[in-house]
Amino acid sequence: MAISDISGLASSLAARGLLNPDKLQQITTSSVSEQKPLTSYLVENNFIDSLALAEFCEAEYGIPLLDSDSVNLEEIPEKFIHPKLIEKHHALPVYVQQKTLYIAMADPTNVSALEDFGFSFGMHTEALLIEETKLSEAIDAILDDGTSSLDDMGSIDDIEVDESESRLDEAQAVDDDAPIVKYINGVLLDAVRKGASDLHFEPYEKKYRIRFRVDGILHEFASPPVNLANRFSARLKVMSKLDIAERRLPQDGRIKLKISNKRNIDLRVSTLPTMWGEKIVMRILDSSAANLDIDKLGYTDEQKAKYLNALAKPQGMILITGPTGSGKTVSLYTGLNILNTVERNISTAEDPVEINLTGINQVQINNKAGLNFASALRSFLRQDPDIVMVGEIRDLETAEIGIKAAQTGHLVLSTLHTNSAAETLTRLLNMGVPAFNIASSVSLIIAQRLGRRLCNECKAPLEISDSELLHIGFTQEQLAEKHNLYQPVGCSKCTDGYKGRVGIYEVMEMSEQLGHIILNDGNAMQIADIAEKEGMYTLRQSAIKQALNGVTSLNEVTRIT
């Protein structure tokens, strides 16, 4: 993959204050080592916003910025779809006008793209700027090998599965069943395209059900014949490198998929014997889809300032809490991404590693081999760390080691499973951590949930009485803003009126008064009361603010809080 004039574009961005000059060498080296165009690397790692980059290039280089919504991929002449050139230059021919071929690109310094396309098609070429994210989406759509239709299983090409460790006789026995292979591949492709976080394969007595979790809600996707249950199970277990002969015990595995020329997906697989067969649940771990831009996660300005203030401290412990699937990992990695510089040594212990970040030493927990959170954390402290992240504090041993690290000059980030920020402190006390250690080491606690975003294309104003709003938790002052409330409708571009999710947060800074409450054996209600008096928004209050901003609905406010 050609990376054109990286230093020139990077230097221009730095000169205009859009990039940190001290990070230029790291950026250019990393983009080359990862074989990514500079623009892709900058946007994916949140060094610059996609639109801001496009607008800068338009002003700096005088190249017109293309309205991406005006590009119809189906109208691009097939003869100009040259996959190798498109992938090599990260550029896309969009249309021909007066014998000139116009090439959409995010990097205006990529003159070799114009030369190669012009030479290949014997035409004069001109550049058009396009947002990096829009360009990547368009290229992925053009280069994607498969199709999402399940009506014609024979039209779905095999996606590439790493089965190198599968036993040959088992793999061959199932792989010979081509319709099942194609059907499963089609289901996986559709799940990724719909933005699903989990897939459920569920056998019952007279029915087989496949469900996707999209934006936190399960939807039934398909109901194939129940007599295919064992064949589905066998195929998925072969893909996951599991023992297909073992049907009495739960098993855990992983699948690595290459679903397009530029996109790889990991899936975490869990099997569970049920009365009518094995239920299989797959969690999609798609690091390329993770948004680590703190400005887009849903924090209020006050909450963001508190998080950034805690990250700026040289030591202490930051805890993020919430149920499974509440976005804790993204919040943690947003913080780590901000801290990720050449000057800092960052190590993480995770189960599993969900997001890969260059420059961070990530350790995959392996309990069978004796590598648990506590042993990994002990090892980190012998590795000259500045910042450590522990995927989850599950026991007293891990908690004590983490707190000791926070007290000895290290910044520690971790998660707990509790319902609120206040309950996190009492949970640590119940685990056996001394109160004085908690008061002196914990600097910030974030409790969070994920609410569904209203679709901007179809949301409609909501009519509701003041009494209902007061019952939900609105203040008298907020009633004046009720004209900003919307409800879901539903259209072809969303699911039930929602598209995407937004974080709802409760951010509690440790204060002297909260420390006194903990030392005096205060309960969660007392801690929450003091935190609210010191300015903390509860989850319900934060959700109401998102509803008044037109981001989510009142149904979501009550559902998640």
Side-chain angles (χ1 to χ4, degrees):
M1 181 181 293
I3 312 287
S4 60
D5 194 14
I6 288 178
S7 58
L9 181 56
S11 298
S12 296
L13 289 165
R16 300 296 187 275
L18 295 174
L19 278 186
N20 185 343
D22 297 334
K23 290 189 175 183
L24 286 185
Q25 186 60 49
Q26 174 201 341
I27 290 170
T28 54
T29 301
S30 297
S31 63
V32 172
S33 65
E34 294 183 21
Q35 295 187 315
K36 286 186 176 180
L38 175 65
T39 53
S40 295
Y41 183 82
L42 290 174
V43 172
E44 288 177 12
N45 290 278
N46 300 301
F47 285 106
I48 188 170
D49 178 73
S50 180
L51 179 58
L53 175 62
E55 291 175 341
F56 164 81
C57 290
E58 181 184 27
E60 184 77 6
Y61 296 95
I63 299 174
L65 179 58
L66 181 67
D67 179 6
S68 57
D69 293 333
S70 67
V71 178
N72 188 340
L73 299 182
E74 295 180 358
E75 293 181 359
I76 299 175
E78 190 173 346
K79 67 177 182 178
F80 295 126
I81 304 301
H82 193 304
K84 289 186 178 179
L85 284 181
I86 292 171
E87 187 173 12
K88 175 184 177 183
H89 292 294
H90 195 59
L92 185 65
V94 285
Y95 62 87
V96 178
Q97 192 174 65
Q98 296 180 347
K99 297 183 180 181
T100 297
L101 179 61
Y102 287 88
I103 311 294
M105 56 178 65
D107 182 358
T109 66
N110 189 2
V111 293
S112 62
L114 299 177
E115 293 172 353
D116 279 5
F117 276 105
F119 180 80
S120 297
F121 300 116
M123 300 181 69
H124 176 68
T125 53
E126 291 284 348
L128 291 172
L129 280 171
I130 187 172
E131 280 189 61
E132 166 58 39
T133 53
K134 302 293 186 182
L135 177 61
S136 294
E137 289 172 3
I139 289 177
D140 284 343
I142 286 288
L143 298 183
D144 211 340
D145 294 328
T147 172
S148 63
S149 172
L150 292 180
D151 296 330
D152 180 8
M153 293 190 293
S155 68
I156 301 173
D157 294 332
D158 287 351
I159 50 182
E160 186 176 327
V161 183
D162 178 9
E163 295 177 358
S164 56
E165 297 176 17
S166 299
R167 293 208 297 271
L168 181 60
D169 55 340
E170 295 172 347
Q172 185 173 354
V174 180
D175 283 353
D176 286 343
D177 196 348
I180 295 296
V181 172
K182 290 182 181 292
Y183 186 83
I184 292 295
N185 287 352
V187 170
L188 298 182
L189 285 170
D190 261 14
V192 172
R193 288 172 179 149
K194 291 179 183 294
S197 60
D198 301 86
L199 295 83
H200 293 240
F201 294 82
E202 302 168 314
Y204 297 98
E205 181 180 11
K206 297 181 180 180
K207 180 180 179 179
Y208 192 90
R209 182 172 66 178
I210 299 175
R211 292 190 291 172
F212 293 171
R213 187 177 295 277
V214 179
D215 294 337
I217 304 295
L218 280 169
H219 301 271
E220 184 166 333
F221 171 74
S223 184
V226 69
N227 61 350
L228 297 178
N230 289 338
R231 291 157 73 185
F232 286 156
S233 173
R235 172 59 187 165
L236 291 170
K237 287 163 74 173
V238 165
M239 294 171 72
S240 312
K241 304 182 181 70
L242 300 177
D243 183 0
I244 67 171
E246 178 56 77
R247 300 179 182 178
R248 299 167 297 174
L249 297 174
Q251 298 186 69
D252 295 308
R254 294 178 75 104
I255 298 176
K256 284 187 174 291
L257 299 180
K258 181 177 181 181
I259 62 172
S260 72
N261 291 327
K262 297 176 62 179
R263 192 175 183 189
N264 296 317
I265 299 290
D266 286 345
L267 295 100
R268 186 175 62 190
V269 183
S270 172
T271 72
L272 179 69
T274 68
M275 183 178 294
W276 305 108
E278 289 179 286
K279 174 176 178 176
I280 298 179
V281 176
M282 312 173 81
R283 165 66 58 89
I284 297 177
L285 307 177
D286 185 5
S287 58
S288 66
N291 188 340
L292 303 183
D293 183 351
I294 193 169
D295 292 323
K296 295 181 179 178
L297 295 186
Y299 289 98
T300 65
D301 290 340
E302 297 89 344
Q303 290 172 335
K304 183 175 75 171
K306 289 178 180 180
Y307 192 14
L308 293 176
N309 181 54
L311 291 170
K313 293 180 180 179
Q315 64 187 50
M317 177 177 279
I318 298 173
L319 295 172
I320 299 180
T321 182
T324 301
S326 60
K328 298 188 296 295
T329 300
V330 172
S331 286
L332 281 175
Y333 268 92
T334 298
L336 290 179
N337 195 46
I338 293 170
L339 297 168
N340 187 15
T341 64
V342 175
E343 297 83 14
R344 295 186 176 102
N345 177 23
I346 304 176
S347 297
T348 73
E350 304 168 67
D351 185 21
V353 175
E354 294 188 32
I355 301 173
N356 297 317
L357 280 184
T358 302
I360 293 179
N361 308 292
Q362 298 172 271
V363 175
Q364 170 67 53
I365 294 302
N366 186 343
N367 288 309
K368 291 182 180 178
L371 179 59
N372 55 28
F373 286 119
S375 60
L377 191 48
R378 280 198 208 90
S379 184
F380 290 167
L381 297 179
R382 297 191 290 269
Q383 291 270 318
D384 184 31
D386 296 301
I387 299 158
V388 297
M389 190 270 273
V390 184
E392 184 182 347
I393 294 178
R394 296 177 178 173
D395 51 50
L396 177 60
E397 183 182 17
T398 306
E400 287 180 332
I401 300 170
I403 284 176
K404 185 178 294 183
Q407 292 173 329
T408 55
H410 306 95
L411 183 61
V412 180
L413 293 85
S414 190
T415 71
L416 274 174
H417 283 280
T418 59
N419 291 323
S420 68
E423 289 177 46
T424 303
L425 295 174
T426 56
R427 168 76 175 129
L428 290 172
L429 288 169
N430 292 337
M431 289 174 69
V433 180
F436 65 87
N437 278 341
I438 297 173
S440 63
S441 60
V442 176
S443 57
L444 186 78
I445 300 174
I446 300 174
Q448 68 178 77
R449 303 289 188 274
L450 287 178
R452 290 181 291 174
R453 286 181 181 270
L454 284 166
C455 173
N456 288 324
E457 300 292 330
C458 65
K459 65 183 181 181
L462 174 67
E463 296 292 335
I464 188 170
S465 67
D466 289 355
S467 60
E468 289 179 275
L469 293 177
L470 291 171
H471 179 71
I472 291 172
F474 281 63
T475 63
Q476 286 289 345
E477 293 77 14
Q478 288 173 329
L479 294 180
E481 302 178 62
K482 71 176 186 178
H483 60 276
N484 294 324
L485 296 173
Y486 291 87
Q487 60 185 334
V489 176
C491 66
S492 61
K493 295 184 178 180
C494 65
T495 303
D496 298 334
Y498 298 96
K499 187 175 183 180
R501 290 192 284 179
V502 63
I504 307 296
Y505 303 95
E506 190 175 85
V507 180
M508 186 174 77
E509 279 186 311
M510 184 60 71
S511 65
E512 185 175 341
Q513 193 170 0
L514 285 174
H516 285 308
I517 293 290
I518 297 166
L519 292 171
N520 292 317
D521 295 326
N523 58 39
M525 292 181 64
Q526 292 171 313
I527 293 170
D529 186 53
I530 295 297
E532 287 185 58
K533 289 178 180 177
E534 293 181 347
M536 181 191 79
Y537 292 129
T538 64
L539 287 169
R540 174 59 66 94
Q541 291 164 348
S542 297
I544 287 174
K545 282 184 173 292
Q546 292 290 7
L548 287 171
N549 289 333
V551 176
T552 192
S553 69
L554 289 185
N555 287 339
E556 284 296 283
V557 170
T558 56
R559 183 182 71 86
I560 63 176
T561 63

